[in-house]
Amino acid sequence: MRRGKPWAWLVFVLGALYFMLPLVATIQFALSIRRGTYSLDAFTNVLYDAHFQESFVYSFIIGLCAIVVGVLIVAPAAYFVRLRLPRLRPIIEFLTLLPLVIPAIVLVFGYIRLYNTSSFINLTGSALGTDILLTFAYVALALPYMYRAVDTGLRTIDVQTLTEAANILGANTPTILFKVIFPNIIVALLSGAFLTLAIVIGEFTIASLLNRPAFGVYMQNVGANRAYEPAALAIISFIFTWVAMGMIQLLARFAPKTAPS
Amino acid sequence: MKRTSLIATSVSVAALLTSIVPSYADAMSDLVAAATKEGQLTVIALPHNWCGYGAVIDSFKKKYPGITVNELNPDAGSGDEVQAIEANKGNTGPQAPDVIDVGLGYGPTAKEQKLIQPYKVSTWDSIPDTAKDADGYWYGDYYGVMSFIVNTDIVTNVPKTWADLQNSEYKNSVALAGPPRTAAQGIQGVYAAGLASNGGNADTAADAGLQFFKKLNAAGNFVPVTGNAAPVAQGTTPIVAAWDYNALAWRDGFAGNPKAEVVVPSDAVLAGVYIQAISAYAPHPNAAKLWEEYLYSDEGQIGWLAGYCHPIRFNDLAKNGKVPADLLAKLPSADLYAKAVFPTLDQLNAANKTITGQWDSVVGADVSK
Amino acid sequence: MFPSSNEPLTGATNVAPVGRGGWIGRLPRLRLGEVLGVAPFIIFAVMFLVLPPFYLFGLAFTDKAGQFTLQNIVDLGQPLIVSAFWISILISAASALIGAVVGLFIALAVIRGNLPGWIRAVVTTFSGVASNFAGIPLAFAFISTVGRLGILTILLRTVFHIDIYRSGFNLFTFSGLTLIYCYFQIPLTILLITPAIDGLKREWSEAAETLGAKPWQFWTYVGIPVLWPNLLGTLSLLFANAFGAVATAYALTGTSINIITLQLYAQIRGDALQNPGLGAAIALAMVAIAAFANVIYLIVRTRAERWLK
């Protein structure tokens, strides 16, 4: 094993500095809420704040809904495209790339205009309707990642064989999908789920323009009104994202590496 | 014969009187019942540390437990509030505000655009005439004066006047408390600077203010960030021009870390009146009316006083001895308020138009290198 | 493997005979199932990805009275709007370029620099986290670092006697915003470019070395051309990512500074431009610019792939 090249070490160390410094600075800032001494007051203020708890729970629940809806929309489509409708693949892939080209603020501007009280589908007319709209907006944001995760998952299992086998045993399509395919791509689904959750928890633009009490909106409010608590919030948010990403890494170990022959 | 008829007359007169008098109490309980049936009140742009709104909302909720208060966008400016009504015409969902609390200059335009509905609270007569619309569409709620909040950990030499702000020692330090295109607090900050630099001429203060900020921006003293408690404390905007009630509330919120001072500039004392109005498209009009009744009751007005605001019925309350002495002691001195300039509606309207329309072209806080 | 031939299975009584007629007999039912399976996706995509931009397209050509007008497009030429677009494009391009180059170097260092094995895993996880750390918390983190009371600011002032704020530094300048945006652009590059670098087989560089090529020759003739399509795709993705970012800038300044996403935000929320049609025109122009970046990528990639073949 050759020793690490010096330029590689240099690049790595410089990169580590650039990325670590803000994190260290944030922790230090969060601990400085009391003049002249370090204390955890900023963290306790945040964690015991009722608004923090409410908004975090709200965003978490919306995230879960976005995951479920996302899976239900993406997985059957990816399955059928892979199995029976390869001609549709370019169209589907183009659609999944749209959220990367159309900024979230443009999307939500369109939603507010399209789905308000004066249109045929009224979603902003009630709290529940707006929550539904918010969920679909997040499904749209997470679509590229969810689709790629599911597609990768389907690629590593032999979809054709599984489907034929299940068909022969008399299963109908929903059964195949939910009882045969899903359990086999559960790791990919969970990866997509954690990524969606990470996106939803901190999201600000859509939630604030739809006036929902989401976590991102709460964070921005704290950022304008309190000096030290935002740093504590940033650390909490970072830890949460780290856990979500760490779960994905963990799951990657359990993913089937190659299609069974 | 004469005595019995006298008694009979007085009895019938008394009976007549008692049949008219309870109307207020009945009307109030009817309103409470109707409001409770609606069950919700949607408010917008009410930060909890603005005029003590946090405590005011809490006591409203305690008094009328059947009504939930849905608080939208606390950071909204006056322009955002009016836009929220406009954008939600016919929408009865939770984004549609029932009541708005906006700068005085926004009242007539909102009435013109038919965005608000008239309502005269029961204490209507004790609101000064200059601070309310004769037809009852909007009515002043509280006022304060434009002041500076200074983070004294960062700024050692506290500025005492608007002119001081142009000094080079305040590089990268001065900010407005709201975007001058959509927030009354920001617009009035510009207006106050104008008053200071043109010797108090209220008609040309808007243009003078724009020129003042153009000079401030060119000198590098102006920071294009919306000033609030956090940027002051974090040092992004160590000097912010804000209403005195906000400045005092933020200073209290720091609890000594950082140390801050509130200064009313001596070259211009600009008073700013805010007004209440009920949205013409309010999804919960009765809850809105009940909220207004509460705000204009003695309880509501004192609630604002506790938040360092001068409630609009201040003189009336003081006359009846209802103002607690300890709250009075915490307010800025009355002499200051005696020389405060209260712009007329026309002056405010014109100033609004000038400042919102020309801010970008005259000052233009573009992103620099 | 199950036989897909014409022979019927024996012994199983409850199974439909897989005869010549069997599969064809089942086809219509599958077709309906296919449609039902793909329909939710298509409906969702139309409702929430396709219709909104089309609607905004229509709104951009409507004036406040509801009549057709080209005035909104003309209004896009206002100095305020143009400078907002320009600065947004500059910041996005700068952070995309810096992000791509720095990210490429870090990825190369980690994958091909013979560093200890655990470094790669840590860098990958961290990149996943950091690329999602954008938005509000990122603004807080940078305020804590280079804000007026930030640890780096104080360090520079007390140890090196450089007061960056006195010399006019601020986070909401071009350099400040680019610096912040790099924090999520670089990790995103690392994530996107890693598969391509993995594809650069070690055998190739070893073969080149055997043939006497110096490292720069390897990179010029083999390395960069192989990575080129992936790099371009990354660049256009990074550009679109930064171009549409709202939260970080909003958390830093409110709607005060003049970048195009904040202008659009102020218009949607507070009618700051007093013209919803103009807001729609801005939104349309934003999509056009981001799409343009993608189109350039596609064109260059097709050319590059032709060359590679």
Side-chain angles (χ1 to χ4, degrees), chain A residues 29 32-35 51 116-117 122 124-127 130 209-212 220-228 230, chain B residues 48-49 72-75 87 89-95 153 228-231 233-234 250 253 256-259:
Chain A
F29 199 79
S32 317
I33 184 170
R34 254 190 255 169
R35 222 180 163 72
H51 288 302
N116 60 16
T117 330
N122 175 12
T124 61
S126 65
T130 317
L209 285 173
L210 286 179
N211 272 316
R212 299 315 292 149
Q220 191 276 331
N221 198 289
V222 169
N225 289 296
R226 309 285 310 156
Y228 294 92
Chain B
H48 282 202
N49 56 2
L72 298 176
N73 195 9
D75 288 329
K89 279 189 205 171
N91 182 10
T92 51
Q95 289 96 327
D153 280 344
N228 207 321
Q234 290 159 354
W250 295 345
N257 186 22
K259 294 205 177 52

Tab-separated table of all heavy atoms in Angstrom, chain A residues 29 32-35 51 116-117 122 124-127 130 209-212 220-228 230, chain B residues 48-49 72-75 87 89-95 153 228-231 233-234 250 253 256-259:
chain	number	residue	atom	x	y	z
A	29	PHE	N	-20.220	29.628	18.987
A	29	PHE	CA	-21.151	30.757	19.073
A	29	PHE	C	-22.373	30.369	19.884
A	29	PHE	O	-22.852	31.130	20.721
A	29	PHE	CB	-21.557	31.192	17.662
A	29	PHE	CG	-22.129	32.563	17.590
A	29	PHE	CD1	-21.290	33.668	17.600
A	29	PHE	CD2	-23.493	32.763	17.506
A	29	PHE	CE1	-21.814	34.939	17.529
A	29	PHE	CE2	-24.015	34.035	17.437
A	29	PHE	CZ	-23.177	35.133	17.447
A	32	SER	N	-21.964	30.546	23.557
A	32	SER	CA	-21.565	31.823	24.159
A	32	SER	C	-22.724	32.696	24.553
A	32	SER	O	-22.577	33.898	24.685
A	32	SER	CB	-20.708	32.630	23.182
A	32	SER	OG	-19.786	31.833	22.564
A	33	ILE	N	-23.893	32.122	24.755
A	33	ILE	CA	-25.068	32.965	24.971
A	33	ILE	C	-24.944	33.786	26.252
A	33	ILE	O	-25.411	34.908	26.331
A	33	ILE	CB	-26.358	32.137	24.958
A	33	ILE	CG1	-27.575	33.041	25.093
A	33	ILE	CG2	-26.356	31.094	26.048
A	33	ILE	CD1	-28.875	32.335	24.841
A	34	ARG	N	-24.268	33.217	27.234
A	34	ARG	CA	-24.113	33.989	28.455
A	34	ARG	C	-22.780	34.716	28.409
A	34	ARG	O	-21.760	34.141	28.077
A	34	ARG	CB	-24.166	33.078	29.676
A	34	ARG	CG	-25.474	33.204	30.421
A	34	ARG	CD	-25.440	32.497	31.728
A	34	ARG	NE	-26.196	31.260	31.689
A	34	ARG	CZ	-26.152	30.351	32.651
A	34	ARG	NH1	-25.368	30.531	33.682
A	34	ARG	NH2	-26.883	29.257	32.576
A	35	ARG	N	-22.806	35.999	28.781
A	35	ARG	CA	-21.626	36.821	28.675
A	35	ARG	C	-20.470	36.241	29.434
A	35	ARG	O	-20.547	36.012	30.624
A	35	ARG	CB	-21.961	38.201	29.267
A	35	ARG	CG	-21.431	39.314	28.499
A	35	ARG	CD	-21.838	40.595	29.184
A	35	ARG	NE	-21.037	41.665	28.706
A	35	ARG	CZ	-21.145	42.204	27.501
A	35	ARG	NH1	-22.045	41.759	26.694
A	35	ARG	NH2	-20.359	43.172	27.120
A	51	HIS	N	-42.696	26.172	20.131
A	51	HIS	CA	-42.729	26.353	18.673
A	51	HIS	C	-41.757	25.422	17.989
A	51	HIS	O	-42.030	24.918	16.904
A	51	HIS	CB	-42.357	27.796	18.303
A	51	HIS	CG	-43.417	28.779	18.643
A	51	HIS	ND1	-44.695	28.687	18.148
A	51	HIS	CD2	-43.405	29.866	19.430
A	51	HIS	CE1	-45.404	29.684	18.611
A	51	HIS	NE2	-44.661	30.414	19.386
A	116	ASN	N	-55.577	27.831	-6.089
A	116	ASN	CA	-56.197	28.620	-5.033
A	116	ASN	C	-57.710	28.574	-5.179
A	116	ASN	O	-58.246	27.835	-6.011
A	116	ASN	CB	-55.677	30.058	-5.065
A	116	ASN	CG	-55.976	30.721	-6.394
A	116	ASN	OD1	-56.805	30.245	-7.164
A	116	ASN	ND2	-55.295	31.804	-6.663
A	117	THR	N	-58.366	29.372	-4.359
A	117	THR	CA	-59.820	29.245	-4.251
A	117	THR	C	-60.537	29.493	-5.559
A	117	THR	O	-61.619	28.978	-5.777
A	117	THR	CB	-60.347	30.250	-3.226
A	117	THR	OG1	-59.324	30.452	-2.266
A	117	THR	CG2	-61.575	29.725	-2.547
A	122	ASN	N	-59.276	23.433	-5.603
A	122	ASN	CA	-58.984	24.394	-4.561
A	122	ASN	C	-58.197	23.729	-3.442
A	122	ASN	O	-58.745	22.960	-2.663
A	122	ASN	CB	-60.298	24.965	-4.025
A	122	ASN	CG	-60.052	25.879	-2.866
A	122	ASN	OD1	-58.926	26.267	-2.600
A	122	ASN	ND2	-61.112	26.218	-2.170
A	124	THR	N	-55.617	25.688	-1.590
A	124	THR	CA	-55.185	26.623	-0.565
A	124	THR	C	-56.349	27.139	0.262
A	124	THR	O	-56.192	27.984	1.113
A	124	THR	CB	-54.450	27.828	-1.169
A	124	THR	OG1	-55.346	28.498	-2.035
A	124	THR	CG2	-53.217	27.407	-1.911
A	125	GLY	N	-57.538	26.645	0.011
A	125	GLY	CA	-58.695	27.171	0.726
A	125	GLY	C	-58.853	26.656	2.134
A	125	GLY	O	-59.685	27.113	2.887
A	126	SER	N	-58.053	25.682	2.511
A	126	SER	CA	-58.192	25.155	3.869
A	126	SER	C	-56.822	24.732	4.345
A	126	SER	O	-55.903	24.531	3.550
A	126	SER	CB	-59.129	23.962	3.876
A	126	SER	OG	-58.552	22.910	3.120
A	127	ALA	N	-56.678	24.573	5.647
A	127	ALA	CA	-55.384	24.163	6.194
A	127	ALA	C	-55.000	22.797	5.659
A	127	ALA	O	-53.862	22.568	5.234
A	127	ALA	CB	-55.431	24.152	7.715
A	130	THR	N	-53.924	22.960	2.039
A	130	THR	CA	-52.581	23.516	1.883
A	130	THR	C	-51.526	22.517	2.312
A	130	THR	O	-50.466	22.422	1.690
A	130	THR	CB	-52.437	24.797	2.715
A	130	THR	OG1	-53.608	25.570	2.558
A	130	THR	CG2	-51.246	25.596	2.242
A	209	LEU	N	-43.902	30.507	1.717
A	209	LEU	CA	-44.839	31.146	0.784
A	209	LEU	C	-46.229	30.543	0.886
A	209	LEU	O	-47.212	31.186	0.541
A	209	LEU	CB	-44.305	31.070	-0.643
A	209	LEU	CG	-43.162	32.044	-0.901
A	209	LEU	CD1	-42.557	31.810	-2.259
A	209	LEU	CD2	-43.640	33.479	-0.790
A	210	LEU	N	-46.334	29.284	1.367
A	210	LEU	CA	-47.652	28.700	1.591
A	210	LEU	C	-48.128	28.955	3.018
A	210	LEU	O	-49.204	28.503	3.408
A	210	LEU	CB	-47.620	27.188	1.327
A	210	LEU	CG	-47.546	26.771	-0.146
A	210	LEU	CD1	-47.487	25.258	-0.257
A	210	LEU	CD2	-48.755	27.277	-0.906
A	211	ASN	N	-47.300	29.668	3.795
A	211	ASN	CA	-47.693	30.041	5.157
A	211	ASN	C	-48.014	28.853	6.043
A	211	ASN	O	-48.997	28.863	6.781
A	211	ASN	CB	-48.934	30.949	5.108
A	211	ASN	CG	-48.527	32.399	4.982
A	211	ASN	OD1	-47.618	32.841	5.653
A	211	ASN	ND2	-49.189	33.109	4.114
A	212	ARG	N	-47.210	27.811	5.977
A	212	ARG	CA	-47.414	26.671	6.872
A	212	ARG	C	-46.369	26.734	7.979
A	212	ARG	O	-45.247	27.179	7.758
A	212	ARG	CB	-47.298	25.353	6.089
A	212	ARG	CG	-48.321	25.217	5.005
A	212	ARG	CD	-49.729	25.606	5.433
A	212	ARG	NE	-50.313	24.697	6.393
A	212	ARG	CZ	-51.191	25.076	7.327
A	212	ARG	NH1	-51.557	26.310	7.447
A	212	ARG	NH2	-51.692	24.176	8.147
A	220	GLN	N	-36.056	30.333	10.435
A	220	GLN	CA	-35.801	31.669	9.896
A	220	GLN	C	-36.286	32.721	10.872
A	220	GLN	O	-35.630	33.742	11.086
A	220	GLN	CB	-36.509	31.803	8.541
A	220	GLN	CG	-36.113	33.031	7.773
A	220	GLN	CD	-36.885	34.245	8.193
A	220	GLN	OE1	-38.011	34.134	8.625
A	220	GLN	NE2	-36.275	35.402	8.102
A	221	ASN	N	-37.420	32.453	11.513
A	221	ASN	CA	-37.962	33.399	12.484
A	221	ASN	C	-37.027	33.564	13.669
A	221	ASN	O	-36.752	34.679	14.121
A	221	ASN	CB	-39.322	32.892	12.949
A	221	ASN	CG	-40.117	33.986	13.596
A	221	ASN	OD1	-39.816	34.430	14.698
A	221	ASN	ND2	-41.109	34.457	12.906
A	222	VAL	N	-36.529	32.445	14.178
A	222	VAL	CA	-35.581	32.507	15.289
A	222	VAL	C	-34.336	33.260	14.845
A	222	VAL	O	-33.779	34.062	15.588
A	222	VAL	CB	-35.213	31.089	15.760
A	222	VAL	CG1	-34.039	31.129	16.715
A	222	VAL	CG2	-36.392	30.431	16.428
A	223	GLY	N	-33.930	33.036	13.606
A	223	GLY	CA	-32.734	33.686	13.094
A	223	GLY	C	-32.856	35.191	13.062
A	223	GLY	O	-31.872	35.907	13.202
A	224	ALA	N	-34.076	35.697	12.870
A	224	ALA	CA	-34.241	37.143	12.823
A	224	ALA	C	-34.365	37.734	14.212
A	224	ALA	O	-34.048	38.902	14.424
A	224	ALA	CB	-35.464	37.494	11.998
A	225	ASN	N	-34.867	36.949	15.163
A	225	ASN	CA	-35.222	37.526	16.447
A	225	ASN	C	-34.311	37.176	17.607
A	225	ASN	O	-34.329	37.851	18.624
A	225	ASN	CB	-36.641	37.090	16.815
A	225	ASN	CG	-37.656	37.777	15.927
A	225	ASN	OD1	-37.791	38.980	15.951
A	225	ASN	ND2	-38.326	37.003	15.106
A	226	ARG	N	-33.571	36.106	17.507
A	226	ARG	CA	-32.729	35.726	18.623
A	226	ARG	C	-31.298	35.654	18.122
A	226	ARG	O	-31.049	35.235	16.998
A	226	ARG	CB	-33.150	34.346	19.155
A	226	ARG	CG	-34.619	34.223	19.446
A	226	ARG	CD	-35.032	34.930	20.689
A	226	ARG	NE	-34.169	34.565	21.807
A	226	ARG	CZ	-33.987	35.335	22.877
A	226	ARG	NH1	-34.579	36.488	22.957
A	226	ARG	NH2	-33.203	34.932	23.835
A	227	ALA	N	-30.333	36.024	18.967
A	227	ALA	CA	-28.959	36.103	18.499
A	227	ALA	C	-28.225	34.777	18.554
A	227	ALA	O	-27.527	34.408	17.617
A	227	ALA	CB	-28.207	37.132	19.332
A	228	TYR	N	-28.363	34.041	19.643
A	228	TYR	CA	-27.538	32.849	19.833
A	228	TYR	C	-28.266	31.553	19.547
A	228	TYR	O	-27.660	30.556	19.192
A	228	TYR	CB	-26.975	32.829	21.262
A	228	TYR	CG	-26.016	33.960	21.498
A	228	TYR	CD1	-26.453	35.178	22.007
A	228	TYR	CD2	-24.684	33.829	21.159
A	228	TYR	CE1	-25.576	36.220	22.184
A	228	TYR	CE2	-23.795	34.872	21.339
A	228	TYR	CZ	-24.240	36.071	21.851
A	228	TYR	OH	-23.375	37.113	22.011
A	230	PRO	N	-30.113	30.746	17.002
A	230	PRO	CA	-29.975	30.193	15.641
A	230	PRO	C	-28.774	29.278	15.501
A	230	PRO	O	-28.842	28.288	14.779
A	230	PRO	CB	-29.801	31.443	14.769
A	230	PRO	CG	-30.400	32.529	15.531
A	230	PRO	CD	-30.192	32.204	16.976
B	48	HIS	N	-44.088	38.652	18.566
B	48	HIS	CA	-44.488	38.650	19.966
B	48	HIS	C	-43.837	39.756	20.774
B	48	HIS	O	-44.337	40.132	21.840
B	48	HIS	CB	-44.194	37.278	20.593
B	48	HIS	CG	-45.223	36.261	20.216
B	48	HIS	ND1	-45.451	35.122	20.941
B	48	HIS	CD2	-46.115	36.222	19.206
B	48	HIS	CE1	-46.431	34.431	20.362
B	48	HIS	NE2	-46.836	35.079	19.313
B	49	ASN	N	-42.683	40.277	20.256
B	49	ASN	CA	-42.054	41.327	21.040
B	49	ASN	C	-42.348	42.711	20.449
B	49	ASN	O	-41.670	43.679	20.765
B	49	ASN	CB	-40.537	41.106	21.140
B	49	ASN	CG	-39.873	41.005	19.778
B	49	ASN	OD1	-40.533	41.133	18.758
B	49	ASN	ND2	-38.570	40.784	19.761
B	72	LEU	N	-50.016	34.335	11.276
B	72	LEU	CA	-49.278	34.232	10.026
B	72	LEU	C	-48.043	35.129	10.077
B	72	LEU	O	-48.055	36.171	10.715
B	72	LEU	CB	-50.151	34.715	8.857
B	72	LEU	CG	-51.439	33.966	8.555
B	72	LEU	CD1	-52.181	34.672	7.444
B	72	LEU	CD2	-51.141	32.542	8.163
B	73	ASN	N	-46.987	34.680	9.384
B	73	ASN	CA	-45.847	35.502	9.044
B	73	ASN	C	-45.545	36.703	9.946
B	73	ASN	O	-45.880	37.836	9.607
B	73	ASN	CB	-46.042	36.027	7.617
B	73	ASN	CG	-44.759	36.566	7.076
B	73	ASN	OD1	-43.707	36.417	7.672
B	73	ASN	ND2	-44.852	37.220	5.939
B	74	PRO	N	-44.911	36.478	11.091
B	74	PRO	CA	-44.659	37.605	11.988
B	74	PRO	C	-43.734	38.660	11.392
B	74	PRO	O	-43.755	39.807	11.821
B	74	PRO	CB	-44.009	36.980	13.221
B	74	PRO	CG	-43.906	35.541	12.950
B	74	PRO	CD	-44.452	35.213	11.628
B	75	ASP	N	-42.911	38.292	10.386
B	75	ASP	CA	-41.963	39.258	9.856
B	75	ASP	C	-42.533	40.088	8.721
B	75	ASP	O	-41.803	40.848	8.091
B	75	ASP	CB	-40.716	38.522	9.345
B	75	ASP	CG	-39.878	37.999	10.486
B	75	ASP	OD1	-39.888	38.653	11.545
B	75	ASP	OD2	-39.236	36.952	10.325
B	87	ALA	N	-54.215	38.932	-2.182
B	87	ALA	CA	-53.957	37.631	-2.802
B	87	ALA	C	-54.959	36.582	-2.353
B	87	ALA	O	-55.111	35.552	-2.999
B	87	ALA	CB	-52.542	37.177	-2.466
B	89	LYS	N	-58.299	37.082	-1.778
B	89	LYS	CA	-59.704	37.473	-1.971
B	89	LYS	C	-60.521	36.227	-2.253
B	89	LYS	O	-60.225	35.489	-3.175
B	89	LYS	CB	-59.822	38.385	-3.198
B	89	LYS	CG	-59.465	39.801	-2.958
B	89	LYS	CD	-59.845	40.626	-4.181
B	89	LYS	CE	-59.007	41.872	-4.258
B	89	LYS	NZ	-59.178	42.596	-5.511
B	90	GLY	N	-61.569	36.023	-1.470
B	90	GLY	CA	-62.416	34.866	-1.732
B	90	GLY	C	-61.854	33.574	-1.172
B	90	GLY	O	-62.500	32.530	-1.225
B	91	ASN	N	-60.658	33.596	-0.626
B	91	ASN	CA	-60.086	32.402	-0.025
B	91	ASN	C	-60.453	32.383	1.449
B	91	ASN	O	-60.135	33.309	2.170
B	91	ASN	CB	-58.567	32.448	-0.207
B	91	ASN	CG	-57.901	31.212	0.349
B	91	ASN	OD1	-58.553	30.253	0.703
B	91	ASN	ND2	-56.592	31.261	0.419
B	92	THR	N	-61.134	31.348	1.895
B	92	THR	CA	-61.498	31.323	3.308
B	92	THR	C	-60.557	30.434	4.103
B	92	THR	O	-60.840	30.057	5.218
B	92	THR	CB	-62.936	30.794	3.478
B	92	THR	OG1	-63.035	29.567	2.753
B	92	THR	CG2	-63.929	31.788	2.950
B	93	GLY	N	-59.421	30.117	3.504
B	93	GLY	CA	-58.477	29.234	4.173
B	93	GLY	C	-57.612	29.968	5.176
B	93	GLY	O	-57.785	31.160	5.413
B	94	PRO	N	-56.650	29.252	5.743
B	94	PRO	CA	-55.862	29.823	6.831
B	94	PRO	C	-54.838	30.862	6.393
B	94	PRO	O	-54.199	31.457	7.248
B	94	PRO	CB	-55.137	28.602	7.413
B	94	PRO	CG	-55.036	27.663	6.275
B	94	PRO	CD	-56.269	27.856	5.462
B	95	GLN	N	-54.659	31.087	5.078
B	95	GLN	CA	-53.709	32.131	4.695
B	95	GLN	C	-54.351	33.496	4.635
B	95	GLN	O	-53.665	34.489	4.445
B	95	GLN	CB	-53.099	31.896	3.309
B	95	GLN	CG	-52.138	30.756	3.222
B	95	GLN	CD	-52.865	29.563	2.742
B	95	GLN	OE1	-54.049	29.391	3.049
B	95	GLN	NE2	-52.204	28.738	1.986
B	153	ASP	N	-21.491	46.998	22.519
B	153	ASP	CA	-20.285	46.164	22.550
B	153	ASP	C	-19.439	46.415	21.318
B	153	ASP	O	-18.227	46.247	21.318
B	153	ASP	CB	-20.669	44.675	22.578
B	153	ASP	CG	-21.062	44.222	23.968
B	153	ASP	OD1	-20.760	44.937	24.928
B	153	ASP	OD2	-21.678	43.152	24.079
B	228	ASN	N	-33.035	43.631	12.884
B	228	ASN	CA	-33.927	43.000	13.839
B	228	ASN	C	-33.069	42.663	15.049
B	228	ASN	O	-31.875	42.926	15.058
B	228	ASN	CB	-34.524	41.739	13.212
B	228	ASN	CG	-35.888	41.413	13.809
B	228	ASN	OD1	-36.096	41.558	15.008
B	228	ASN	ND2	-36.802	40.979	12.979
B	229	ALA	N	-33.655	42.034	16.063
B	229	ALA	CA	-32.893	41.776	17.281
B	229	ALA	C	-31.627	40.975	16.989
B	229	ALA	O	-30.543	41.303	17.470
B	229	ALA	CB	-33.758	41.033	18.290
B	230	ALA	N	-31.761	39.929	16.170
B	230	ALA	CA	-30.604	39.049	15.942
B	230	ALA	C	-29.453	39.754	15.229
B	230	ALA	O	-28.312	39.670	15.693
B	230	ALA	CB	-31.027	37.803	15.185
B	231	PRO	N	-29.699	40.444	14.098
B	231	PRO	CA	-28.560	41.098	13.456
B	231	PRO	C	-27.907	42.146	14.356
B	231	PRO	O	-26.704	42.365	14.266
B	231	PRO	CB	-29.162	41.758	12.214
B	231	PRO	CG	-30.416	41.036	11.966
B	231	PRO	CD	-30.907	40.576	13.280
B	233	ALA	N	-27.625	41.967	17.648
B	233	ALA	CA	-26.827	41.235	18.620
B	233	ALA	C	-25.631	40.556	17.967
B	233	ALA	O	-24.552	40.507	18.553
B	233	ALA	CB	-27.695	40.195	19.330
B	234	GLN	N	-25.808	40.024	16.765
B	234	GLN	CA	-24.715	39.318	16.111
B	234	GLN	C	-23.732	40.274	15.463
B	234	GLN	O	-22.701	39.854	14.952
B	234	GLN	CB	-25.250	38.361	15.043
B	234	GLN	CG	-25.969	37.178	15.613
B	234	GLN	CD	-26.889	36.550	14.595
B	234	GLN	OE1	-27.070	37.057	13.497
B	234	GLN	NE2	-27.491	35.430	14.960
B	250	TRP	N	-36.205	44.939	22.110
B	250	TRP	CA	-35.023	44.150	21.741
B	250	TRP	C	-33.955	44.267	22.815
B	250	TRP	O	-33.328	43.276	23.183
B	250	TRP	CB	-34.449	44.664	20.400
B	250	TRP	CG	-35.365	44.480	19.241
B	250	TRP	CD1	-36.475	43.686	19.188
B	250	TRP	CD2	-35.273	45.109	17.974
B	250	TRP	NE1	-37.076	43.790	17.960
B	250	TRP	CE2	-36.353	44.654	17.194
B	250	TRP	CE3	-34.373	46.019	17.398
B	250	TRP	CZ2	-36.567	45.073	15.884
B	250	TRP	CZ3	-34.579	46.431	16.096
B	250	TRP	CH2	-35.661	45.962	15.352
B	253	GLY	N	-34.685	42.047	25.470
B	253	GLY	CA	-34.509	40.641	25.100
B	253	GLY	C	-33.057	40.198	25.147
B	253	GLY	O	-32.765	39.025	25.337
B	256	GLY	N	-28.614	41.913	28.566
B	256	GLY	CA	-27.241	42.263	28.870
B	256	GLY	C	-26.206	41.690	27.934
B	256	GLY	O	-25.052	42.104	27.953
B	257	ASN	N	-26.599	40.702	27.112
B	257	ASN	CA	-25.618	40.146	26.190
B	257	ASN	C	-26.144	40.212	24.773
B	257	ASN	O	-26.849	39.316	24.345
B	257	ASN	CB	-25.292	38.697	26.571
B	257	ASN	CG	-24.163	38.129	25.730
B	257	ASN	OD1	-23.370	38.867	25.168
B	257	ASN	ND2	-24.093	36.833	25.634
B	258	PRO	N	-25.873	41.208	23.971
B	258	PRO	CA	-24.891	42.273	24.203
B	258	PRO	C	-25.506	43.476	24.918
B	258	PRO	O	-26.726	43.555	25.043
B	258	PRO	CB	-24.503	42.667	22.778
B	258	PRO	CG	-25.766	42.474	22.018
B	258	PRO	CD	-26.455	41.283	22.636
B	259	LYS	N	-24.654	44.411	25.333
B	259	LYS	CA	-25.169	45.630	25.927
B	259	LYS	C	-25.664	46.526	24.794
B	259	LYS	O	-25.027	46.645	23.763
B	259	LYS	CB	-24.056	46.356	26.703
B	259	LYS	CG	-23.562	45.602	27.912
B	259	LYS	CD	-22.975	46.575	28.941
B	259	LYS	CE	-22.534	45.908	30.214
B	259	LYS	NZ	-21.640	44.761	30.067
